[in-house]
Amino acid sequence: MDEWILVSPQRAKRPWQGQTEKTSEEQLPAHDPDCYLCSGNVRVNGEKNPDYNGVYVFDNDFGSLMKDEVDFSEQPSDFFTLKPERGINRVICFSENHSLTLPEMEVDDIKKVVDVWQNQYKELGALDYINHVQIFENKGQVMGCSNPHPHGQIWAQSSIPSSVLKTQENLKKYFDEKGKSLLEDYVKKELEINERIILENEDFVALIPFWAIWPYETMIVSKRKIENLIEFSEGEKLSLASILKDLTTKYDNLFEVSFPYSAGIHQSPTDGKPHQEWHFHMHFYPPLLRSAEVKKFMVGYEMLAEPQRDITPEQSAEILKGLSNIHYKL
């Protein structure tokens, strides 16, 4: 992102007398009659979910973007800039089982989620007014998730979002200079150093990025230079499902709690332009710092100056790498 991060591991020694999060590890039912996302239930807008089995996708009943083109005439101004944004919001239910999360699902079932990600990226990206497709998941109440049912979202829109655009500019700058993918070279260097690698399989690497901001922030990167989900083979989709399960299992095992995070895929835009600079990767941003009750706050200095972290990426990697791939509930 062409930004600095202040790393201050000495701050981990400070006593904590601030806010603590409530943790509730209640056993959820396989089907909740009051859940708007469960199969066969009626959503708040009166529509009924089918009796689905596996992955189910529908247009978000409270979408932030509108499909219809907005009539708009901007008043000339040398200071303020406005423009309408058009797009589609969708919800992806990962499973009909209300009680599951990704680490508790079977690899084959997670692979079905990856299949849907691929199909949705292709379908939405083919629309002439959609230039970017953002696939993501918010997990846990502390991350603002309003429903515990296993699900993610898609925001497909006519503009390329600011953070993605900044990433793209830096990826392109490197590609134009070197003729190679920045992330391909980065992964090779990380594998060589082997200080921040958490998991590795035939097709993917999971690691703590050198530039990680959140205490246990991770990134999954494809070993092969893949620009987007459409280019995935069946084997690579299975490999991604496998490393997703193992990484999220390690997260849960860290504090023996259903680990909250925001996660999302970064891949090439769907604007019809060539994007050789892009290399598929997936970010995980979990807020927890010391325990299931103590989280990292991005406030004060972080908001006004630059991001700051209290644990080195090497320490985080060592801790996560040492955790079992078998879920603590088992």
Side-chain angles (χ1 to χ4, degrees), residues 99-126:
S99 67
L100 295 181
T101 58
L102 281 179
E104 297 170 277
M105 291 171 61
E106 299 297 329
V107 170
D108 286 345
D109 292 328
I110 300 174
K111 196 260 184 184
K112 293 174 184 174
V113 175
V114 178
D115 288 336
V116 170
W117 287 345
Q118 184 184 58
N119 293 335
Q120 289 290 310
Y121 174 84
K122 185 177 182 179
E123 176 191 325
L124 292 167

Tab-separated table of all heavy atoms in Angstrom, residues 99-126:
chain	number	residue	atom	x	y	z
A	99	SER	N	-25.263	-23.861	12.715
A	99	SER	CA	-24.294	-23.948	13.815
A	99	SER	C	-22.845	-23.965	13.353
A	99	SER	O	-21.931	-23.908	14.170
A	99	SER	CB	-24.560	-25.210	14.656
A	99	SER	OG	-24.277	-26.385	13.900
A	100	LEU	N	-22.601	-24.043	12.046
A	100	LEU	CA	-21.235	-24.212	11.548
A	100	LEU	C	-20.547	-22.885	11.251
A	100	LEU	O	-21.181	-21.854	11.042
A	100	LEU	CB	-21.240	-25.060	10.272
A	100	LEU	CG	-21.687	-26.511	10.391
A	100	LEU	CD1	-21.607	-27.198	9.036
A	100	LEU	CD2	-20.840	-27.262	11.413
A	101	THR	N	-19.215	-22.925	11.229
A	101	THR	CA	-18.389	-21.864	10.677
A	101	THR	C	-17.390	-22.548	9.749
A	101	THR	O	-17.300	-23.788	9.743
A	101	THR	CB	-17.642	-21.082	11.776
A	101	THR	OG1	-16.836	-22.003	12.539
A	101	THR	CG2	-18.603	-20.371	12.708
A	102	LEU	N	-16.637	-21.784	8.971
A	102	LEU	CA	-15.723	-22.380	7.990
A	102	LEU	C	-14.794	-23.451	8.589
A	102	LEU	O	-14.649	-24.523	8.007
A	102	LEU	CB	-14.887	-21.301	7.297
A	102	LEU	CG	-15.566	-20.501	6.175
A	102	LEU	CD1	-14.602	-19.457	5.621
A	102	LEU	CD2	-16.044	-21.423	5.054
A	103	PRO	N	-14.159	-23.209	9.753
A	103	PRO	CA	-13.257	-24.238	10.275
A	103	PRO	C	-13.950	-25.534	10.679
A	103	PRO	O	-13.295	-26.576	10.787
A	103	PRO	CB	-12.617	-23.558	11.498
A	103	PRO	CG	-13.552	-22.468	11.869
A	103	PRO	CD	-14.126	-21.987	10.570
A	104	GLU	N	-15.263	-25.480	10.875
A	104	GLU	CA	-16.003	-26.681	11.272
A	104	GLU	C	-16.657	-27.373	10.081
A	104	GLU	O	-17.287	-28.421	10.243
A	104	GLU	CB	-17.061	-26.303	12.308
A	104	GLU	CG	-16.462	-25.742	13.600
A	104	GLU	CD	-17.510	-25.143	14.519
A	104	GLU	OE1	-17.892	-23.976	14.318
A	104	GLU	OE2	-17.945	-25.858	15.435
A	105	MET	N	-16.518	-26.803	8.898
A	105	MET	CA	-17.060	-27.420	7.694
A	105	MET	C	-16.043	-28.384	7.085
A	105	MET	O	-14.840	-28.287	7.336
A	105	MET	CB	-17.433	-26.334	6.668
A	105	MET	CG	-18.629	-25.490	7.076
A	105	MET	SD	-18.900	-24.039	5.994
A	105	MET	CE	-19.194	-24.828	4.400
A	106	GLU	N	-16.530	-29.337	6.294
A	106	GLU	CA	-15.641	-30.258	5.585
A	106	GLU	C	-15.000	-29.530	4.407
A	106	GLU	O	-15.578	-28.614	3.831
A	106	GLU	CB	-16.419	-31.480	5.087
A	106	GLU	CG	-17.062	-32.319	6.191
A	106	GLU	CD	-16.039	-32.943	7.126
A	106	GLU	OE1	-14.910	-33.252	6.661
A	106	GLU	OE2	-16.355	-33.105	8.323
A	107	VAL	N	-13.793	-29.968	4.041
A	107	VAL	CA	-13.070	-29.335	2.935
A	107	VAL	C	-13.902	-29.353	1.654
A	107	VAL	O	-13.964	-28.359	0.916
A	107	VAL	CB	-11.700	-30.013	2.707
A	107	VAL	CG1	-11.052	-29.511	1.410
A	107	VAL	CG2	-10.774	-29.742	3.882
A	108	ASP	N	-14.564	-30.468	1.369
A	108	ASP	CA	-15.383	-30.567	0.147
A	108	ASP	C	-16.521	-29.554	0.151
A	108	ASP	O	-16.911	-29.040	-0.904
A	108	ASP	CB	-15.947	-31.982	-0.007
A	108	ASP	CG	-14.887	-32.989	-0.434
A	108	ASP	OD1	-13.806	-32.552	-0.887
A	108	ASP	OD2	-15.129	-34.209	-0.316
A	109	ASP	N	-17.069	-29.272	1.344
A	109	ASP	CA	-18.160	-28.289	1.437
A	109	ASP	C	-17.632	-26.857	1.296
A	109	ASP	O	-18.315	-25.995	0.734
A	109	ASP	CB	-18.914	-28.456	2.752
A	109	ASP	CG	-19.698	-29.765	2.800
A	109	ASP	OD1	-20.148	-30.212	1.728
A	109	ASP	OD2	-19.841	-30.341	3.893
A	110	ILE	N	-16.425	-26.603	1.807
A	110	ILE	CA	-15.805	-25.290	1.614
A	110	ILE	C	-15.472	-25.101	0.139
A	110	ILE	O	-15.602	-23.992	-0.406
A	110	ILE	CB	-14.532	-25.137	2.481
A	110	ILE	CG1	-14.875	-25.277	3.975
A	110	ILE	CG2	-13.862	-23.788	2.225
A	110	ILE	CD1	-13.675	-25.275	4.894
A	111	LYS	N	-15.090	-26.180	-0.531
A	111	LYS	CA	-14.789	-26.094	-1.965
A	111	LYS	C	-16.027	-25.664	-2.749
A	111	LYS	O	-15.932	-24.940	-3.747
A	111	LYS	CB	-14.274	-27.444	-2.454
A	111	LYS	CG	-13.573	-27.397	-3.806
A	111	LYS	CD	-14.489	-27.848	-4.925
A	111	LYS	CE	-13.782	-27.898	-6.255
A	111	LYS	NZ	-14.690	-28.250	-7.366
A	112	LYS	N	-17.217	-26.063	-2.291
A	112	LYS	CA	-18.463	-25.631	-2.941
A	112	LYS	C	-18.658	-24.125	-2.781
A	112	LYS	O	-19.217	-23.463	-3.668
A	112	LYS	CB	-19.652	-26.393	-2.355
A	112	LYS	CG	-19.642	-27.890	-2.686
A	112	LYS	CD	-20.753	-28.632	-1.956
A	112	LYS	CE	-20.663	-30.134	-2.212
A	112	LYS	NZ	-21.651	-30.895	-1.399
A	113	VAL	N	-18.207	-23.572	-1.660
A	113	VAL	CA	-18.251	-22.118	-1.457
A	113	VAL	C	-17.317	-21.441	-2.460
A	113	VAL	O	-17.677	-20.442	-3.089
A	113	VAL	CB	-17.854	-21.745	-0.008
A	113	VAL	CG1	-17.790	-20.231	0.157
A	113	VAL	CG2	-18.842	-22.344	0.990
A	114	VAL	N	-16.113	-21.997	-2.620
A	114	VAL	CA	-15.151	-21.451	-3.584
A	114	VAL	C	-15.715	-21.524	-5.001
A	114	VAL	O	-15.550	-20.604	-5.802
A	114	VAL	CB	-13.795	-22.189	-3.491
A	114	VAL	CG1	-12.814	-21.650	-4.526
A	114	VAL	CG2	-13.202	-22.065	-2.083
A	115	ASP	N	-16.416	-22.624	-5.322
A	115	ASP	CA	-17.075	-22.750	-6.635
A	115	ASP	C	-18.047	-21.595	-6.860
A	115	ASP	O	-18.099	-21.006	-7.952
A	115	ASP	CB	-17.852	-24.074	-6.724
A	115	ASP	CG	-16.952	-25.293	-6.844
A	115	ASP	OD1	-15.807	-25.146	-7.298
A	115	ASP	OD2	-17.408	-26.402	-6.476
A	116	VAL	N	-18.824	-21.274	-5.827
A	116	VAL	CA	-19.812	-20.197	-5.938
A	116	VAL	C	-19.101	-18.845	-6.069
A	116	VAL	O	-19.525	-17.980	-6.841
A	116	VAL	CB	-20.783	-20.216	-4.737
A	116	VAL	CG1	-21.646	-18.957	-4.707
A	116	VAL	CG2	-21.679	-21.450	-4.815
A	117	TRP	N	-18.033	-18.637	-5.305
A	117	TRP	CA	-17.242	-17.405	-5.461
A	117	TRP	C	-16.817	-17.239	-6.918
A	117	TRP	O	-16.937	-16.164	-7.495
A	117	TRP	CB	-15.996	-17.448	-4.583
A	117	TRP	CG	-16.237	-17.285	-3.119
A	117	TRP	CD1	-17.376	-16.831	-2.512
A	117	TRP	CD2	-15.303	-17.557	-2.071
A	117	TRP	NE1	-17.200	-16.811	-1.147
A	117	TRP	CE2	-15.953	-17.249	-0.845
A	117	TRP	CE3	-13.988	-18.038	-2.041
A	117	TRP	CZ2	-15.314	-17.403	0.382
A	117	TRP	CZ3	-13.353	-18.193	-0.820
A	117	TRP	CH2	-14.011	-17.873	0.381
A	118	GLN	N	-16.322	-18.331	-7.493
A	118	GLN	CA	-15.858	-18.298	-8.880
A	118	GLN	C	-16.997	-17.955	-9.843
A	118	GLN	O	-16.870	-17.083	-10.705
A	118	GLN	CB	-15.235	-19.641	-9.247
A	118	GLN	CG	-14.632	-19.692	-10.637
A	118	GLN	CD	-14.119	-21.081	-10.993
A	118	GLN	OE1	-14.881	-22.060	-10.969
A	118	GLN	NE2	-12.837	-21.184	-11.314
A	119	ASN	N	-18.130	-18.617	-9.654
A	119	ASN	CA	-19.279	-18.402	-10.538
A	119	ASN	C	-19.851	-16.992	-10.401
A	119	ASN	O	-20.234	-16.356	-11.390
A	119	ASN	CB	-20.366	-19.440	-10.257
A	119	ASN	CG	-19.936	-20.848	-10.632
A	119	ASN	OD1	-19.068	-21.028	-11.490
A	119	ASN	ND2	-20.524	-21.849	-9.998
A	120	GLN	N	-19.908	-16.497	-9.165
A	120	GLN	CA	-20.449	-15.162	-8.932
A	120	GLN	C	-19.531	-14.073	-9.503
A	120	GLN	O	-20.002	-13.097	-10.084
A	120	GLN	CB	-20.670	-14.935	-7.432
A	120	GLN	CG	-21.823	-15.730	-6.846
A	120	GLN	CD	-23.171	-15.233	-7.325
A	120	GLN	OE1	-23.476	-14.059	-7.282
A	120	GLN	NE2	-23.991	-16.162	-7.812
A	121	TYR	N	-18.231	-14.267	-9.338
A	121	TYR	CA	-17.270	-13.311	-9.904
A	121	TYR	C	-17.422	-13.255	-11.420
A	121	TYR	O	-17.440	-12.174	-12.023
A	121	TYR	CB	-15.848	-13.717	-9.519
A	121	TYR	CG	-14.767	-12.886	-10.166
A	121	TYR	CD1	-14.360	-11.668	-9.627
A	121	TYR	CD2	-14.136	-13.313	-11.339
A	121	TYR	CE1	-13.366	-10.899	-10.220
A	121	TYR	CE2	-13.145	-12.554	-11.948
A	121	TYR	CZ	-12.763	-11.359	-11.377
A	121	TYR	OH	-11.782	-10.598	-11.985
A	122	LYS	N	-17.574	-14.423	-12.026
A	122	LYS	CA	-17.724	-14.494	-13.478
A	122	LYS	C	-19.045	-13.877	-13.935
A	122	LYS	O	-19.084	-13.073	-14.876
A	122	LYS	CB	-17.637	-15.952	-13.933
A	122	LYS	CG	-17.661	-16.148	-15.437
A	122	LYS	CD	-17.484	-17.617	-15.795
A	122	LYS	CE	-17.458	-17.817	-17.312
A	122	LYS	NZ	-17.270	-19.254	-17.659
A	123	GLU	N	-20.140	-14.234	-13.239
A	123	GLU	CA	-21.471	-13.746	-13.621
A	123	GLU	C	-21.599	-12.239	-13.444
A	123	GLU	O	-22.041	-11.526	-14.357
A	123	GLU	CB	-22.535	-14.470	-12.783
A	123	GLU	CG	-23.950	-13.982	-13.008
A	123	GLU	CD	-24.948	-14.515	-11.975
A	123	GLU	OE1	-24.789	-15.675	-11.543
A	123	GLU	OE2	-25.864	-13.763	-11.605
A	124	LEU	N	-21.224	-11.737	-12.276
A	124	LEU	CA	-21.368	-10.309	-12.000
A	124	LEU	C	-20.369	-9.486	-12.806
A	124	LEU	O	-20.693	-8.413	-13.315
A	124	LEU	CB	-21.191	-10.046	-10.502
A	124	LEU	CG	-22.307	-10.593	-9.602
A	124	LEU	CD1	-21.876	-10.564	-8.136
A	124	LEU	CD2	-23.595	-9.815	-9.796
A	125	GLY	N	-19.159	-10.008	-12.926
A	125	GLY	CA	-18.128	-9.285	-13.667
A	125	GLY	C	-18.432	-9.154	-15.147
A	125	GLY	O	-17.902	-8.264	-15.823
A	126	ALA	N	-19.302	-10.028	-15.672
A	126	ALA	CA	-19.667	-9.987	-17.092
A	126	ALA	C	-20.651	-8.854	-17.397
A	126	ALA	O	-20.833	-8.491	-18.564
A	126	ALA	CB	-20.258	-11.329	-17.515
